[in-house]
Amino acid sequence: MIESITDVDYKEVMEYSLDPLIIHTDYKIIYINQAAEKLFQTTKEEVAGSSPLDIFQETSRGAIRNRITAAYEKPADVIEETVYRTDGTQVPVELYCHPVKMGERKAIQSYIRDISDRKVMEDKHQAVVKEINELSATIVPILEDTAVLPLTGKIDQEKAGQILAVIPEKVQKQQLNHLIIDFSGIYTFDHVVIDSLFKINGVLSLLGVKTILAGLRPEMAMEAARMQMDLSEIPAVADVKEALSYLGVHSSR
């Protein structure tokens, strides 16, 4: 049984850490673990003695230098940065560093976590939010109490959730009694879309707004039937013109 934490081989702990770790002092790298070798596509021998500043963009190095200087006294906050691999490719990372003692000397241990996957998801989320914001701005009023919501592209779970969050508020602000949802621009129709239809229809019904579906192609209706989804409670017509006719609005031509 280990009686003291000093009996732990800390270098071995670092070596097998899943997070890339770098030990450096006086702006010279002393050690990197296996995870850091993998992240930066290098070896311990190749980076020994080089500056930890070399992995950062030129514009960031002044701030990183100040951060390292301060970290000799206390841990630095976690920040996001961009670093370079040895082949020149960039990697978005979370960076955290804190002081450690090496005998009588002070050094810095830096944790560098690859957040590429998270950034991809964040970018996707922002794209969806932007698309939904643009979508919500295109609720097109065609009568005093009636508007058309044109949908386009593919609706996934996240987009459906954003629509459900945004559209009822927009409809209520415009004081609509009828909303025609135009699906003629939708190229996929699955359980996510169908579930969203029911939810949007339910929320709008509570607000006193009647939903009418337009542009549901035959294959979409067949897919809904195959999935045993009952759309009969929501009026569905071929296009926006027929939706207006359903509401008793007829073209003068």
Side-chain angles (χ1 to χ4, degrees), residues 82-233:
T82 299
V83 298
Y84 289 96
R85 294 188 177 99
T86 53
D87 64 0
T89 57
Q90 297 183 359
V91 187
V93 298
E94 275 186 346
L95 181 66
Y96 168 67
C97 54
H98 63 80
V100 292
K101 290 193 69 175
M102 293 180 55
E104 298 301 316
R105 301 173 64 192
K106 285 186 177 181
I108 302 294
Q109 177 167 285
S110 295
Y111 297 74
I112 302 176
R113 178 172 296 169
D114 185 348
I115 56 172
S116 299
D117 291 343
R118 192 182 83 192
K119 284 297 183 182
V120 168
M121 294 302 297
E122 288 176 356
D123 289 345
K124 179 184 177 183
H125 176 73
Q126 289 301 317
V128 169
V129 170
K130 180 181 178 182
E131 184 178 356
I132 296 302
N133 287 338
E134 291 173 351
L135 174 67
S136 65
T138 60
I139 295 181
V140 183
I142 52 178
L143 295 172
E144 184 177 350
D145 66 346
T146 303
V148 176
L149 172 64
L151 299 179
T152 59
K154 175 179 172 59
I155 297 181
D156 59 15
Q157 193 70 50
E158 185 173 18
K159 186 173 179 180
Q162 290 288 340
I163 291 173
L164 187 61
V166 170
I167 297 307
E169 181 181 355
K170 291 288 184 178
V171 167
Q172 197 169 29
K173 282 184 178 180
Q174 293 187 30
Q175 299 182 327
L176 299 176
N177 291 325
H178 303 95
L179 181 66
I180 302 169
I181 304 180
D182 184 7
F183 280 82
S184 58
I186 293 292
Y187 56 82
T188 60
F189 194 73
D190 57 18
H191 71 281
V192 173
V193 178
I194 296 172
D195 186 58
S196 300
L197 287 179
F198 279 109
K199 288 180 178 177
I200 292 172
N201 182 65
V203 172
L204 293 182
S205 294
L206 292 174
L207 297 176
V209 180
K210 188 175 184 64
T211 302
I212 302 171
L213 307 183
L216 288 179
R217 295 187 294 277
E219 61 269 25
M220 293 181 174
M222 291 175 62
E223 179 65 13
R226 187 187 68 79
M227 298 171 63
Q228 299 182 336
M229 296 291 187
D230 182 12
L231 298 180
S232 61
E233 64 181 73

Side-chain angles (χ1 to χ4, degrees), residues 10-129:
Y10 183 63
K11 186 175 180 180
E12 187 174 79
V13 172
M14 291 178 57
E15 188 64 20
Y16 294 110
S17 170
L18 296 178
D19 286 325
L21 300 176
I22 300 176
I23 299 288
H24 52 94
T25 187
D26 297 329
Y27 301 102
K28 291 183 180 180
I29 294 175
I30 299 170
Y31 166 83
I32 65 173
N33 67 353
Q34 293 182 56
E37 288 182 307
K38 182 177 179 180
L39 173 64
F40 291 103
Q41 299 175 355
T42 187
T43 66
K44 296 174 174 58
E45 294 74 23
E46 288 176 335
V47 299
S50 61
S51 172
L53 297 175
D54 291 344
I55 65 174
F56 296 98
Q57 302 176 91
E58 188 70 38
T59 54
S60 300
R61 290 179 185 176
I64 296 298
R65 178 181 288 273
N66 293 337
R67 179 181 173 84
I68 290 174
T69 299
Y72 280 105
E73 301 303 323
K74 63 178 183 179
D77 294 332
V78 177
I79 62 170
E80 291 186 8
E81 258 296 347
T82 299
V83 298
Y84 289 96
R85 294 188 177 99
T86 53
D87 64 0
T89 57
Q90 297 183 359
V91 187
V93 298
E94 275 186 346
L95 181 66
Y96 168 67
C97 54
H98 63 80
V100 292
K101 290 193 69 175
M102 293 180 55
E104 298 301 316
R105 301 173 64 192
K106 285 186 177 181
I108 302 294
Q109 177 167 285
S110 295
Y111 297 74
I112 302 176
R113 178 172 296 169
D114 185 348
I115 56 172
S116 299
D117 291 343
R118 192 182 83 192
K119 284 297 183 182
V120 168
M121 294 302 297
E122 288 176 356
D123 289 345
K124 179 184 177 183
H125 176 73
Q126 289 301 317
V128 169
V129 170

